[in-house]
Amino acid sequence: MTTPTPATGRRLPLVLRNRAFGTVWLGQVLTQAGVRMFQVGTSWWLIGYAVSGDGGFAAGLFMAVSTLPAVALAPLVARAIARTAHRSLLRTAAGGAGAAAAALAGWACASDLPVAAAYAAALALATCQAFFDPCLTTSVPELVDDADIEAATGFELSTQSLASLGGALLGALVVDEAGMAGLAVGCAVAYTAAALLITTVRFRPAAGALPGAATDALPDADGPEPHGGDAAQAPRRTLRQILGAMPYVRAILLCFTAANLFTTAVFVVIPLYTASVLHGDGGTVALLEASLGVGTLIGSVTGARVPGRPTTAGSLLLGTMAVALAVPGLIGARPVIAGALLVAGWCVGVIGVRFVALFQRLVPAADKPAFFAVMQAVLGSTFPVASLLFGLLGDHLSAQTLCLIQAAGLVPAALALALLPGSGHSRTPDGSPEPGTGTGTEPGTGTPPETATAAPEGAR
């Protein structure tokens, strides 16, 4: 019997054998947990403590403000990531968010906190997060070897859901126990710690980096030398050209954009439902948020095993989600509602896995940066609209009626997705059928980002 060599032995997880990536990953966990804790906690504070008559509109406006920067600042963020050293941008974004949360904490400790101050802090935190998240994803090749990029990306995306779940669990509970001052202190600590962690990391030039590009790498950093390649020379098409050549993909995006208008409203409906129907406290909000988050995580893990063509499976999943969201509109029992949100979250996770995998196969490599950036912006653009609309409706209709409206709104999107043509109706730029449009299943790609029917990054 021979002793296994290090090459054939079991390897440590990437976050343990790559200190730079592990440190930045820990910073990401802290920022994701911090922003989600602030969003859930402040929504509950507005409805349960601060606003007496128009809590629904106040919470809806707050969630809209929390997600606008990621959509409105997309061009500015792209230019900043291209022109600024990534470590510096990450450190500045996390540090700026920490300073904003600390200022809010000081105000809340000194006197009663006005609602406008919470909105201003939400805008500041969301702006910092709008720079932090895409910059972190772009920075992965500067932290790990080329062979570890897929593992790093999958690990990064899978932990986003866990960090968001942890933040959602803490948000309302912290507000009940320590008020907005305690919530702001927790966020300030999380963001400041993330900034300090990132300061200790040295990034190296990524393969394919353009000469003269900004970098925080050490002069003697290991790693590939910057070079140009065929990918750098490939012509870039506009999004209109990309989607014009792929009507199948365009139709799918339209279906899920319509569905998002109703699914993302759940983040406003949950605190409204807790206050007006269940007459619960922050613990009830945490229970419902946890049910949704755990379901999404389970769906992300099991999504690749769900059979059927993507559009057929997606249509059935949207229909299932409609039924799950209708249940709280008919039955007002905590265990039943928690179970319904668990099912709805599972559908969100599975849809994310199936359709990100499909888009990875259909969109040419040269077009993916523009496509996925705009995909997130398009899907995310419905969140402010849904927040304001359902928040305003919440001041005039019961929370149970809002649940039924959500369910009814998903039905047309599910039918439209089911009626999409399959193979032979959708073609790639060279005229060949788009791969995967007529197959039974597509393989999973690990744990992809929550996209279709899921909240945008800033809302998790």
Side-chain angles (χ1 to χ4, degrees):
M1 184 173 66
T2 59
T3 302
T5 64
T8 59
R10 178 174 296 179
R11 305 177 73 191
L12 291 172
L14 183 61
V15 291
L16 297 180
R17 56 186 165 86
N18 185 322
R19 188 191 68 84
F21 176 75
T23 303
V24 174
W25 165 79
L26 183 57
Q28 177 205 20
V29 170
L30 290 170
T31 62
Q32 290 285 344
V35 71
R36 191 74 182 110
M37 181 171 69
F38 184 78
Q39 289 174 349
V40 173
T42 305
S43 293
W44 176 240
W45 174 73
L46 289 168
I47 292 174
Y49 296 93
V51 181
S52 57
D54 300 313
F57 178 74
L61 179 60
F62 169 77
M63 293 305 296
V65 168
S66 298
T67 53
L68 276 176
V71 178
L73 299 179
L76 178 61
V77 170
R79 287 195 296 270
I81 293 174
R83 299 174 183 176
T84 308
H86 292 162
R87 186 187 67 162
S88 298
L89 186 58
L90 290 170
R91 180 180 55 204
T92 301
L104 184 70
W107 193 338
C109 290
S111 63
D112 290 338
L113 189 70
V115 171
Y119 287 138
L123 187 62
L125 294 183
T127 299
C128 293
Q129 202 73 33
F131 284 88
F132 189 93
D133 289 329
C135 184
L136 179 64
T137 302
T138 306
S139 302
V140 168
E142 300 169 37
L143 298 168
V144 303
D145 295 330
D146 184 72
D148 289 327
I149 286 179
E150 289 187 357
T153 302
F155 195 84
E156 174 198 347
L157 295 174
S158 65
T159 53
Q160 286 179 359
S161 295
L162 289 174
S164 297
L165 175 60
L169 281 170
L170 289 174
L173 294 175
V174 170
V175 167
D176 276 351
E177 295 297 325
M180 281 297 292
L183 184 71
V185 167
C187 292
V189 170
Y191 275 109
T192 302
L196 293 175
L197 285 170
I198 292 168
T199 300
T200 67
V201 177
R202 296 293 185 180
F203 289 35
R204 63 190 185 190
L210 296 177
T215 178
D216 278 311
L218 292 171
D220 59 347
D222 295 331
E225 293 295 327
H227 63 82
D230 294 338
Q233 305 299 325
R236 293 287 190 260
R237 296 190 295 169
T238 65
L239 185 71
R240 179 175 297 182
Q241 292 172 326
I242 296 170
L243 294 181
M246 293 185 292
Y248 183 71
V249 171
R250 182 176 67 242
I252 290 174
L253 280 181
L254 289 175
C255 289
F256 283 124
T257 300
N260 266 13
L261 184 63
F262 298 93
T263 57
T264 54
V266 71
F267 296 104
V268 175
V269 174
I270 283 178
L272 283 173
Y273 197 99
T274 299
S276 62
V277 179
L278 299 179
H279 306 292
D281 55 9
T284 304
V285 176
L287 170 65
L288 301 185
E289 290 278 358
S291 299
L292 186 66
V294 169
T296 302
L297 185 62
I298 295 173
S300 298
V301 174
T302 61
R305 300 183 180 91
V306 175
R309 292 177 58 248
T311 50
T312 303
S315 176
L316 292 174
L317 288 165
L318 284 180
T320 303
M321 197 186 311
V323 174
L325 292 178
V327 168
L330 303 173
I331 304 173
R334 280 179 178 81
V336 175
I337 297 166
L341 289 176
L342 183 74
V343 173
W346 178 79
C347 293
V348 168
V350 174
I351 287 173
V353 169
R354 294 302 307 274
F355 283 92
V356 170
L358 178 67
F359 294 155
Q360 290 282 9
R361 296 166 75 85
L362 297 186
V363 179
D367 295 331
K368 284 181 181 179
F371 173 80
F372 283 114
V374 177
M375 180 189 75
Q376 291 290 351
V378 168
L379 293 174
S381 65
T382 61
F383 194 89
V385 178
S387 298
L388 286 172
L389 176 61
F390 278 82
L392 184 60
L393 290 175
D395 292 328
H396 302 281
L397 301 174
S398 70
Q400 288 181 298
T401 301
L402 295 183
C403 294
L404 296 176
I405 293 174
Q406 282 186 277
L410 289 179
V411 175
L415 292 175
L417 197 61
L419 295 174
L420 285 182
S423 180
H425 294 270
S426 182
R427 300 195 171 263
T428 57
D430 63 0
S432 60
E434 289 178 345
T437 58
T439 60
T441 58
E442 268 68 40
T445 56
T447 307
E450 296 166 284
T451 52
T453 76
E457 239 353 273
R460 292 187 218 145

